[in-house]
Amino acid sequence: MDYAGPLWIGRLFEAQFVDAMAVENLHRSFRFGASISKLLAVIKEEIGMPPTYYVLDKLSGKAGVSAPSRTAFLQALRDAGFKGAPTHFSSRGIRSD
């Protein structure tokens, strides 16, 4: 509590709301509409994932190996029977069980 305060560990997203935002984005001419669509697609993947995340560069550094691509790492997790999704706020971050 002294360093970070209370941490939110509940659900971060609601599927219906994300879907509604995606539809709204398609019906409007936002300057960054394509970027918004990509962001919402990543958020959609995060729904139902654990609230914590991992940064691949930090994990790889601790293991003393080169960092793999996020796509390859997520596929390896899924192939091993785990859940895996990218995070919307870090290009090197993943969520996994």
Side-chain angles (χ1 to χ4, degrees):
M1 294 292 283
D2 292 337
Y3 296 102
L7 299 176
W8 179 262
I9 57 171
R11 283 188 356 199
L12 297 176
F13 312 109
E14 291 189 20
Q16 294 95 349
F17 183 69
V18 174
D19 290 339
M21 288 184 3
V23 169
E24 188 67 23
N25 184 48
L26 292 176
H27 290 94
R28 302 230 182 199
S29 298
F30 291 122
R31 181 175 176 191
F32 299 104
S35 296
I36 293 169
S37 290
K38 288 179 186 178
L39 175 64
L40 292 173
V42 173
I43 288 172
K44 184 87 173 179
E45 284 188 69
E46 285 185 272
I47 294 173
M49 297 300 292
T52 56
Y53 71 99
Y54 305 92
V55 177
L56 292 178
D57 299 330
K58 290 184 180 184
L59 286 176
S60 298
K62 288 182 185 239
V65 297
S66 298
S69 75
R70 183 165 76 168
T71 303
F73 194 87
L74 287 170
Q75 189 59 53
L77 278 174
R78 293 174 186 140
D79 289 347
F82 295 97
K83 292 180 182 179
T87 62
H88 70 283
F89 53 85
S90 172
S91 64
R92 300 293 294 153
I94 62 161
R95 294 180 189 266
S96 179
D97 59 350

